[in-house]
DNA sequence: AGAATAGTGTCTTTCAGACAATATATG
DNA sequence: CATATATTGTCTGAAAGACACTATTCT
C-alpha cells in the first residue's frame, strides 16, 4: 500500500487535459440614477473590436476571489469593494479558441471611486446603462435559460451609443442577464445596495433609494421606502443618524452612517 | 494584422499552466422525515478512508452541468432530477495534490428513485442525515465564512454512525454548509421542494410539508402551510387536484398533480 | 412667495402565525 | 367509539402599498 506521502510526490497533474479558467468581472456602478456596467472593447482575437466583460486568466497561485480583485484593480484602480461570485459558465463551445471556463464575479462600486486606467496598453473601457432585463428572480440554471423570458438587452454608452446583447463577445449577454437578475433578487434581503453608496459614514436615505430604483428599474414610494429601511436597519442599530446634510437644495436630509461591524458580506479581503 | 482564422489556428492552449477542474455533487434526498446527503468513502489518496462528497474530473467534451449529471448517473443510476450549480470553490490549497477547482452542484432526488450502484469497483456510499447547520441565508462568499455562524456539523449515517464536519475530506464541510443554507434560502421562492416529491403527478400536501420541514429542520403549522401553498400554486393553476388518496390511515388526503409545463427550473436536460 | 427636496401620517390590503374546530377514514 | 390524519376557519399582528400631508431649506 502506498502512503499518502508517496502518492502525493508521484501525482502528475498533467496526465489529463485541463480546461482554461478565466475570471470575468461584472462591475456595476450607479450614475445618473441608472445602473451601469463596465465593458471593454476587445483588442485581440477572438471577437476583436466587440465589447466584452473584462476578465482574465486565473493564475495558479491565486483563488478566483483574488483573481477577480486583482483584475478590478488592474482595470479601474479600485480596491475594497463588494465582490461576490455569480456563476460559473462552462458550455463547451463558449470560447472559439479552446475550452474555457469562466467564473463570473459581481462587483458593486460607488461611481466616485472609479478611476479608469487610461494610457498605454490600457483597454478602451466604457460604462453602459443596462436595460431590457425582465424579472427579479435568481434562476438556477442560467445556461439553459430560454429567450422566452428575454426581451432585448440594450446597453447605452456614456456618449449615447447603443449596443444590444447580440453585439457582445462570447456568451456575455447571458452573463449580464444573470447578473442583473441576481442583483435584483438579492437586493431585498442583503446589504448589496450599500456597495454603491459613495460614503458609508455619511449618506442619505434618498441616495439609498435612488440606488434601489436604479437596480430594480422602477420608482419606489418615498415614504414606504423610508419606513422599510428604518425598520430593517435603524431599529436594529445597523445604521445611525449622524447629523444634517448641508448646502443642498431643499430641506436638508438626515445623514446616516452604516455600522461597519454589523455588515454582512461587504468587506472584501484585499 | 492577423485574421481571426489565423489566430485561432495558431492558438496554443497549453502555453499556460491550468488548474484541474472537478465537479462535486451534493445529492440530497429525504428519508424518515430528514434531509439526507449522499457521501462516499474515499478509496484513494488523498484523504483515503474519509467520507467525501462524490465528484469527478470535468472532461473536455462536456459542460459542468453535463459532468454533474453523468456523475450522478454513475453513482446512483438516477436520471432526470433537479440539478443546479451551487458555487465554485477555488482556494489554492483546498486539494493537497495540486491546484483543483471544484464546481459544486446541488441535486435533489426523491428517495424512491435512488439506486445505489453496488458491486465491483463501486465506492462505498451512504446516506447521512445532516444536522447542525444554522441560518437560512445564502451567503455571498462561502469561502470566507467564519465559524461564528457555525456550530458543529453532524452527519448521522443509516446505521446510526455519527461523523462530524471535521471528519470529512477536503473542504467538504464548508461545501455542505453552503448547500444546506442555499436550499433553505431558496425553498420559499422556488420549486426546489418538488425535486423531492416521489411522484409529481400524485402527491399530497402533507408529503410536501414534510419535505419543507426536513429542509428547514423545524415543524410548520399545518393549516398555514396549506394556505400558503394553495395560494401560491393552486390559485395560479400550477398544481391541480387529482382525486383522493386510498388505503391510508385516517382521512384520505387530496392528491395533487404538478403542471409540468409551468415548472420553473426542474426539468433537467438529460 | 414659490420651488425643491425631506420627512410623517393614515388607511387599506395582504399575509404569516397561533390555534380552534370540523371532516373522514380505519380498527 | 377511539384514534389518526386531513382540511377549514378565525383571530391577531406585522408589513407593504397607495397616497395625502407637513417641514425646512434656497432663490
Amino acid at each position: 500500500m502506498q502512503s499518502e506521502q508517496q502518492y502525493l510526490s508521484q501525482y502528475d497533474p498533467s496526465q489529463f487535459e485541463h480546461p482554461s479558467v478565466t475570471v470575468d468581472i461584472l462591475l456595476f456602478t450607479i450614475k445618473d440614477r441608472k445602473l451601469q456596467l463596465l465593458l471593454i472593447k476587445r483588442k485581440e482575437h477572438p471577437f476583436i473590436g466587440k465589447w466584452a466583460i473584462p476578465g482574465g486568466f486565473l493564475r495558479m497561485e491565486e483563488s478566483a476571489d483574488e483573481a477577480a480583485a486583482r483584475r478590478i484593480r488592474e482595470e479601474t484602480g479600485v480596491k475594497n469593494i463588494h465582490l461576490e461570485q455569480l456563476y460559473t459558465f462552462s458550455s463547451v463551445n463558449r470560447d472559439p479558441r479552446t475550452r474555457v471556463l469562466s467564473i463570473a464575479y459581481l462587483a458593486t462600486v460607488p461611481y466616485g471611486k472609479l478611476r479608469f486606467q487610461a494610457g498605454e496598453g490600457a483597454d478602451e473601457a466604457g460604462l453602459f446603462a443596462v436595460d431590457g432585463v425582465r424579472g427579479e428572480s435568481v434562476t438556477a440554471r442560467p445556461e439553459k435559460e430560454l429567450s422566452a423570458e428575454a426581451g432585448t438587452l440594450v446597453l447605452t454608452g456614456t456618449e449615447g451609443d447603443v449596443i444590444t446583447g447580440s453585439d457582445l463577445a462570447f456568451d456575455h449577454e447571458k452573463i449580464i442577464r444573470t447578473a442583473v437578475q441576481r442583483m435584483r433578487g438579492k437586493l431585498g434581503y442583503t446589504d448589496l445596495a450599500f456597495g454603491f453608496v459613495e460614503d458609508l459614514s455619511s449618506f442619505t436615505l434618498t441616495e439609498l433609494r435612488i440606488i434601489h430604483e436604479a437596480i430594480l428599474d422602477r420608482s419606489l414610494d418615498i415614504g414606504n421606502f423610508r419606513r422599510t429601511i428604518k425598520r430593517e436597519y435603524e431599529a436594529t442599530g445597523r445604521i445611525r443618524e449622524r447629523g444634517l446634510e448641508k448646502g443642498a437644495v431643499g430641506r436638508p436630509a438626515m445623514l446616516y452612517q452604516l455600522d461597519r461591524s454589523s455588515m454582512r458580506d461587504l468587506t472584501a479581503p484585499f
Side-chain angles (χ1 to χ4, degrees), chain A residues 42-83:
Chain A
R42 288 186 59 82
K43 304 180 305 184
E44 294 179 2
H45 290 300
F47 295 103
I48 193 165
K50 296 251 182 185
W51 290 94
I53 303 163
F57 286 95
L58 177 67
R59 297 180 184 163
M60 292 300 274
E61 75 282 3
E62 64 189 359
S63 69
D65 286 13
E66 289 160 356
R70 169 177 61 78
R71 285 299 288 120
I72 292 174
R73 253 185 287 116
E74 291 169 356
E75 200 75 46
T76 67
V78 179
K79 301 190 293 186
N80 249 34
I81 51 163
H82 176 65
L83 185 62

Side-chain angles (χ1 to χ4, degrees), chain A residues 60-127:
Chain A
M60 292 300 274
E61 75 282 3
E62 64 189 359
S63 69
D65 286 13
E66 289 160 356
R70 169 177 61 78
R71 285 299 288 120
I72 292 174
R73 253 185 287 116
E74 291 169 356
E75 200 75 46
T76 67
V78 179
K79 301 190 293 186
N80 249 34
I81 51 163
H82 176 65
L83 185 62
E84 73 178 66
Q85 192 180 302
L86 176 65
Y87 195 82
T88 298
F89 293 85
S90 67
S91 299
V92 174
N93 292 312
R94 51 180 301 282
D95 190 311
R97 289 169 291 190
T98 176
R99 184 74 197 282
V100 180
L101 298 188
S102 165
I103 309 176
Y105 275 80
L106 179 61
T108 58
V109 187
Y111 180 69
K113 274 197 180 175
L114 273 183
R115 297 282 173 274
F116 296 101
Q117 301 300 81
E120 0 63 67
D123 295 323
E124 183 184 351
L127 286 177

Side-chain angles (χ1 to χ4, degrees), chain A residues 154-166:
Chain A
V154 179
L155 298 159
T156 308
T158 315
E159 259 97 77
D161 43 323
V162 173
I163 59 179
T164 65
S166 50

Side-chain angles (χ1 to χ4, degrees), chain A residues 148-241:
Chain A
E149 178 109 14
T152 307
L153 177 65
V154 179
L155 298 159
T156 308
T158 315
E159 259 97 77
D161 43 323
V162 173
I163 59 179
T164 65
S166 50
D167 295 329
L168 296 169
F170 304 103
D171 52 357
H172 288 182
E173 169 171 15
K174 196 185 324 178
I175 297 180
I176 293 170
R177 286 182 190 283
T178 305
V180 173
Q181 281 165 355
R182 168 90 133 244
M183 290 184 70
R184 288 182 184 163
K186 294 189 76 167
L187 188 59
Y189 64 94
T190 67
D191 294 339
L192 184 66
F194 290 101
F196 293 108
V197 169
E198 296 288 340
D199 179 356
L200 285 175
S201 59
S202 181
F203 58 90
T204 65
L205 294 188
T206 296
E207 179 182 0
L208 201 55
R209 179 171 49 81
I210 288 171
I211 291 168
H212 277 78
E213 290 177 338
I215 296 172
L216 297 175
D217 194 26
R218 62 188 171 91
S219 61
L220 299 173
D221 181 273
I222 299 182
N224 296 338
F225 181 80
R226 300 181 70 82
R227 179 164 30 105
T228 306
I229 295 294
K230 289 191 143 193
R231 199 170 31 224
E232 249 184 72
Y233 288 90
E234 198 175 24
T236 58
R238 308 203 31 238
I239 65 175
R240 287 207 319 270
E241 299 193 349

